[in-house]
Amino acid sequence: MAAISFFGDLLQTISDRGRDLIGFGRGDLAARADPGELVKLCEDLISRRGEASGVALARLILDRYASLARPERASFLRLVATEFAADHEAVDEAIAAYRADPTRAALGVLHDAAEPRSQELIRRLNLARDGTLALVRMREDLLGLRRALRDEEADPDLIDAADSLDSDFEHLFASWFNRGFLVLRHIDWTTPAHILEKIIRYEAVHAIADWDDLRRRIEPRDRRCFAFFHPALVDEPLIFVEVALTAAIAPAIAPILAHEREILVPRAATTAIFYSISNCQKGLAGVTFGNFLIKQVVEDLAREIPSLKTFVTLSPVPGFATWLDRERRADAPQGLTREDVEALRIIDEPDWQADKTKCEAVRRAMIPAAAAYFLRAKNERGKPLDPVARFHLGNGARLERLNFLGDVSAKGLAQSRGLMVNYLYDLAAIEKNHETYANLGTVAASSVVSRELRNNLPPTRAVALADA
């Protein structure tokens, strides 16, 4: 961390000296600028050759961008998206030159010509101190702009330009945030308070109510929390995972989060349950961290606690309620029988989950429906509909168990009708499962799950078409 601080101080020194070269003093940094003026500064930035002046100008642009109101930020991003594309004349010339002489050198010229100027702008803005974090926040604004443009059915060319700018961010972030730069840190009660506060704020699966709730999750001997950090975002976690050490695979979240429970001695634990994985930075959407995080935590825990033999998740099923409701309304359901549809009318009744008789009737219909949801229902790319399933199956995990009423919180009932699942990370089978899923789309599932699938459903092809 000392090296990072030294590097940051060095950048600040360069920036301070560079301000003299570009004619801006410290008082100018706080001055507001409209989007058009800010774009002119961006043009100046990518045309400069001087290092010191470039660092200073990059910091000035980022500071002024941060001072803009949300609508002005959107206007600025629209201008960058439309005005910082590739030079089309240069591209045409490079194509002609390559066709006339198809050498690697000519191909390199074509590659350079085809790169949007926005990529160079992003690179240069990143020269400023804390530039990386500022750019992550800028991309959050861009993601909001893209949604707004689609909602308002804007000009298709503008939508395409905004999408292209987002691709530039994602392309560069994928390089800047690759696994080689990530640092795994154990989060415990001695972690600085400002980072713990962010863990509370960023928890996206099972909300942390207060500091006492956080303490119950990270201080006991049978609980762990790990997070990835990046040297450019020292105090900002990128993603974190919460782990419970147990004596068996848990079918429900309530016992794990219970206020009063018996604490297990780590050497008595046989199972590590990953019960919450939260991405922290919306601006890094599309940049993969989770697969590296889980695999490294599995390896670290296996070394620390040799008694651990089973590594599983206790995962939410965020797409299940939507799919189930659509199936129940369909004239020709693809994953339910007519008897299932009738039985599942019970879930429309208030507090059905508190009645044992109703629960059993729902369970008999819902578990086979869940098996169809995971094993047969596909999106237009031939992958499982559920985003959490795509993540874990893509990592090489196996769908191990379907847990009826695993989460009876208001959120759990709303998004998945209470369903939770366990994905098993079998170290000996991860690579094989990953390859078969990536190449063939095969969902690795235990025999317990596979047996739940009803044998009188329509052909799998019909399911894929219905959900495409």
Side-chain angles (χ1 to χ4, degrees):
M1 294 305 173
I4 296 169
S5 177
F6 171 79
F7 180 67
D9 291 341
L10 180 61
L11 282 179
Q12 187 61 50
T13 300
I14 294 173
S15 181
D16 289 342
R17 294 179 179 176
R19 268 196 295 271
D20 297 332
L21 299 176
I22 63 175
F24 287 101
R26 286 186 178 274
D28 295 309
L29 292 178
R32 290 175 58 84
D34 65 45
E37 291 175 348
L38 206 54
V39 166
K40 291 179 182 177
L41 291 178
C42 291
E43 290 281 6
D44 190 13
L45 175 63
I46 62 175
S47 66
R48 284 179 178 265
R49 295 292 182 266
E51 185 77 9
S53 62
V55 171
L57 188 54
R59 184 67 265 168
L60 174 65
I61 292 169
L62 293 175
D63 285 343
R64 288 193 171 181
Y65 176 82
S67 74
L68 296 176
R70 189 176 298 275
E72 293 174 310
R73 294 184 187 182
S75 296
F76 169 76
L77 291 171
R78 287 176 185 235
L79 290 171
V80 171
T82 54
E83 296 184 16
F84 285 78
D87 183 332
H88 293 286
E89 291 186 5
V91 172
D92 289 339
E93 292 175 1
I95 291 174
Y98 177 73
R99 286 175 172 169
D101 184 22
T103 62
R104 292 185 64 178
L107 187 61
V109 172
L110 175 57
H111 178 272
D112 291 341
E115 180 182 276
R117 295 196 306 144
S118 49
Q119 283 197 27
E120 182 61 19
L121 174 62
I122 296 169
R123 289 192 194 96
R124 297 205 181 195
L125 289 173
N126 194 48
L127 291 172
R129 183 173 189 175
D130 300 325
T132 306
L133 180 58
L135 289 169
V136 170
R137 298 289 179 258
M138 186 182 291
R139 188 178 180 229
E140 290 182 22
D141 295 336
L142 177 59
L143 293 173
L145 172 63
R146 292 177 63 205
R147 289 191 296 270
L149 291 176
R150 281 171 167 74
D151 290 344
E152 66 190 39
E153 298 181 352
D155 182 351
D157 289 340
L158 178 57
I159 293 176
D160 180 65
D163 289 347
S164 178
L165 178 59
D166 185 64
S167 296
D168 294 334
F169 273 100
E170 186 173 343
H171 169 72
L172 293 173
F173 284 170
S175 298
W176 300 347
F177 290 89
N178 74 56
R179 176 62 187 91
F181 294 121
L182 303 184
V183 178
L184 184 69
R185 292 171 61 182
H186 180 200
I187 304 297
D188 59 23
W189 199 240
T190 67
T191 298
H194 66 283
I195 293 180
L196 294 181
E197 190 275 334
K198 290 174 182 177
I199 296 295
I200 294 175
R201 188 195 324 154
Y202 290 141
E203 165 60 60
V205 184
H206 304 291
I208 300 174
D210 50 34
W211 287 93
D212 289 336
D213 193 10
L214 175 65
R215 189 165 192 161
R216 285 189 291 268
R217 298 196 193 191
I218 65 175
E219 186 181 44
R221 293 175 295 174
D222 59 353
R223 294 293 182 265
R224 297 287 190 279
C225 181
F226 298 91
F228 265 148
F229 290 80
H230 187 277
L233 283 71
V234 180
D235 295 331
E236 283 287 342
L238 305 181
I239 186 174
F240 65 89
V241 60
E242 297 168 68
V243 186
L245 306 180
T246 66
I249 298 177
I253 191 62
I256 289 177
L257 301 180
H259 290 194
E260 301 296 333
R261 62 177 184 81
E262 184 177 349
I263 296 176
L264 189 69
V265 177
R267 66 175 178 273
T270 60
T271 304
I273 300 175
F274 301 80
Y275 66 89
S276 180
I277 303 172
S278 297
N279 285 293
C280 306
Q281 308 299 327
K282 294 179 182 178
L284 292 176
V287 182
T288 301
F289 302 119
N291 55 348
F292 301 121
L293 177 66
I294 290 178
K295 290 173 184 176
Q296 183 165 342
V297 170
V298 167
E299 292 175 0
D300 289 356
L301 286 175
R303 284 194 299 268
E304 178 195 353
I305 308 172
S307 62
L308 291 175
K309 303 301 180 185
T310 303
F311 299 89
V312 298
T313 74
L314 181 58
S315 298
V317 192
F320 183 62
T322 299
W323 175 84
L324 190 65
D325 290 346
R326 186 169 67 245
E327 284 288 291
R328 293 167 59 208
R329 294 191 303 267
D331 293 332
Q334 304 297 301
L336 304 177
T337 65
R338 287 298 178 184
E339 293 76 13
D340 292 335
V341 172
E342 188 63 30
L344 289 171
R345 292 180 185 276
I346 296 173
I347 64 177
D348 296 326
E349 301 176 15
D351 299 323
W352 62 269
Q353 72 278 6
D355 185 302
K356 290 185 179 180
T357 302
K358 292 179 180 179
C359 281
E360 180 55 25
V362 171
R363 187 195 64 78
R364 288 197 298 267
M366 185 176 290
I367 294 301
Y373 174 70
F374 284 105
L375 300 179
R376 294 163 54 93
K378 309 291 183 181
N379 63 15
E380 65 277 3
R381 296 182 179 180
K383 301 296 185 181
L385 289 180
D386 194 78
V388 177
R390 292 196 297 271
F391 171 74
H392 289 297
L393 295 170
N395 286 346
R398 181 176 79 197
L399 180 61
E400 186 68 7
R401 195 161 68 184
L402 308 172
N403 299 308
F404 179 66
L405 293 185
D407 183 0
V408 294
S409 67
K411 179 181 179 180
L413 290 170
Q415 74 174 7
S416 63
R417 304 300 186 185
L419 185 73
M420 296 193 81
V421 299
N422 300 117
Y423 296 98
L424 176 70
Y425 279 82
D426 181 352
L427 298 181
I430 282 178
E431 295 304 325
K432 177 184 177 182
N433 292 343
H434 167 75
E435 290 297 326
T436 55
Y437 175 79
N439 296 324
L440 304 174
T442 302
V443 174
S446 68
S447 59
V448 173
V449 173
S450 299
R451 284 198 301 266
E452 295 289 353
L453 188 65
R454 297 203 188 283
N455 58 16
N456 58 341
L457 297 176
T460 304
R461 179 180 176 82
V463 176
L465 292 175
D467 288 305

